[in-house]
Amino acid sequence: MVWFSHEDTSIDRPTIEALCDRLVDEAKKRLGISELRRVLLLPPDITRAHAGVGWMTEHLYHRLDGAGAEVHVIPTLGQHVPHSAQENTWMFGSIPNERIHAHDWKNGVTHVGTVPAEVVAERTGGAVTWEMPIDLNTMTVTEDWDLIINVGHVVPHEVLGFANHNKNYFIGLGGKRTLGAAHMASAVYGIENNLGNLLTPVRACFNWAEEEFLADLPDVYLQVVMAYDDGGSLVHTGVYVGDGLDTYYSAARASMAQNITAFDEPVDKIVAVMQPDEFHATWVANKAVYRTRMAMADGGELVIIAPGVERFGEQPEVDALIRKYGYLSKHEVLEKYATEADMQDIPHATAHLVHGSAEGRFRITYAPGKLTQEEVESVGYGYLDIEEALRRYDPAVMKDGWNTMPDGERVFFISTPSAGLWSTSDRLASRADHEMHD
């Protein structure tokens, strides 16, 4: 249920910090906790830093530590590269680095149960018929915690419809088998059928798993929603706190209303910028692809300016898979997946090949900071020199929305693709036809 929420056109940091304090007080009362001795904080990783989740985690840490609790933090990395000590400081401020633990998706997980094949099949309408093993971070599920606080930003998402809530557990703290089964299920079902839907097949499976396997965890969700204000700045517009699915639905509905931009006609050219301090691989920078693909015109061009991108995958074996096969259509990937052992070994990476593909509909042009033209073109993308891209589409000059360049070119500019979803109205209507129901 939703314990409490706060919505406004702009919510400042002191107000959110006061709501964090209220969360701690309400948790003790509602969960019957007499003393907070050990507390676990589960924030997103650095790719969500723009949402302020780092300073929220820092505030909670000091509130709890100051009251005598032993507080630990596990950024919900999934299979992303663990933060360096410097990145932890940049995101989480004064939290001691020794209290921030890196999730190990290969060797640091414990099996807690399995979503049966028949449940997966029912949730996916028969599109997927394999079971979904649930392997989660060992420290989270085996140690004794008086309280677990999940911190996150709710925004449209390519696998779960909207990010956060129990994504923190099953993706952020998931093991290799869980990540593989979930990502391939989402790819088979179709990325455009997932984006911006309140309940996708994979989230339905996760909701089932949370109820079956994690019901005894003393946890609460702190979820925020952001939107652009009249000045073009991202601001917090909603804070939602609670321990059930209603908390997710309240935040996701707010995100649906505020974070989806609908066009009457497809867009011929979009230019998107991925911040260099958050995005270092196409694995995460491809949020620019996921969030704009439903807006792109057939034959159009998506230009991704990514000064921090230096590799394709977050892990060496994932990087190697992307380099070997490149970004392919769903049909091509599923055809190869049936016979290629390396694809079967890391299915979450195989699913990424689909998610990052334009399916032959439009062109994707990358302007990366540290990948060569040969590397970029080898995976199926076009290449644009980063300096040329920054000169022509200077983020300091471009404004979010429509821009007309000096030579008359008209482009739609997005400064933070990870903060929303862009689509035509027709594709949104088609997407709604696929929405599931509890």
Side-chain angles (χ1 to χ4, degrees), residues 48 61 89 276 287 348 366 369 371:
R48 310 273 180 184
Y61 178 90
T89 298
K287 290 179 189 294
H348 69 285
Y366 248 95
L371 288 174

Side-chain angles (χ1 to χ4, degrees), residues 281-283 311-314 319 322-323 327 371 375-376 379:
T282 59
W283 178 278
R311 59 186 182 272
F312 296 110
E314 289 284 274
D319 190 84
I322 298 170
R323 290 175 185 271
Y327 289 95
L371 288 174
E375 288 177 303
V376 170
V379 300

Side-chain angles (χ1 to χ4, degrees), residues 40-316:
L40 180 61
L41 305 179
L42 301 177
D45 68 3
I46 200 168
T47 62
R48 310 273 180 184
H50 62 273
V53 288
W55 57 256
M56 294 175 207
T57 303
E58 182 185 20
H59 181 84
L60 285 165
Y61 178 90
H62 288 296
R63 160 67 194 268
L64 293 157
D65 178 72
E70 176 188 331
V71 188
H72 294 267
V73 179
I74 307 178
T76 52
L77 296 167
Q79 60 87 58
H80 294 178
V81 173
H83 298 172
S84 65
Q86 292 75 19
E87 287 173 326
N88 278 334
T89 298
W90 180 80
M91 183 166 180
F92 300 115
S94 56
I95 298 178
N97 192 61
E98 61 269 19
R99 289 296 180 91
I100 304 174
H101 309 277
H103 170 60
D104 183 349
W105 64 295
K106 291 181 179 177
N107 303 308
V109 296
T110 295
H111 182 63
V112 300
T114 298
V115 182
E118 56 267 27
V119 173
V120 178
E122 191 274 330
R123 298 300 193 273
T124 61
V128 174
T129 57
W130 55 74
E131 67 182 19
M132 193 175 290
I134 304 297
D135 305 325
L136 301 181
N137 180 275
T138 297
M139 185 175 176
T140 301
V141 297
T142 64
E143 296 192 18
D144 184 27
W145 303 105
D146 297 305
L147 180 62
I148 298 173
I149 303 176
N150 286 275
V151 182
H153 178 202
V154 177
V155 66
H157 189 266
E158 58 279 359
V159 174
L160 295 173
F162 289 86
N164 202 237
H165 198 256
N166 55 32
K167 175 181 182 288
N168 268 19
Y169 290 126
F170 300 110
I171 298 296
L173 299 179
K176 179 180 178 180
R177 296 192 302 170
T178 306
L179 292 169
H183 280 81
M184 275 304 292
S186 75
V188 170
Y189 189 72
I191 183 172
E192 295 189 4
N193 297 330
N194 294 317
L195 283 159
N197 268 331
L198 292 175
L199 185 64
T200 67
V202 174
R203 183 171 285 284
C205 291
F206 287 170
N207 291 347
W208 187 95
E210 183 179 21
E211 183 176 341
E212 290 293 321
F213 308 134
L214 305 183
D216 293 335
L217 289 182
D219 59 354
V220 58
Y221 293 97
L222 166 64
Q223 301 179 128
V224 299
V225 171
M226 303 185 77
Y228 288 99
D229 64 12
D230 293 338
S233 298
L234 266 178
V235 297
H236 293 95
T237 57
V239 178
Y240 306 84
V241 174
D243 62 350
L245 278 176
D246 285 346
T247 311
Y248 160 73
Y249 283 122
S250 295
R253 287 189 180 100
S255 177
M256 179 182 285
Q258 299 173 41
N259 299 149
I260 298 178
T261 300
F263 300 95
D264 291 333
E265 300 292 337
V267 181
D268 288 322
K269 188 159 188 175
I270 293 177
V271 176
V273 176
M274 305 309 292
Q275 289 69 30
D277 48 9
E278 296 183 35
F279 302 99
H280 305 294
T282 59
W283 178 278
V284 287
N286 275 350
K287 290 179 189 294
V289 180
Y290 312 154
R291 307 299 175 77
T292 64
R293 62 187 299 123
M294 294 173 69
M296 291 300 307
D298 291 354
E301 183 183 20
L302 168 65
V303 176
I304 303 171
I305 301 175
V309 164
E310 60 188 13
R311 59 186 182 272
F312 296 110
E314 289 284 274
Q315 303 293 335

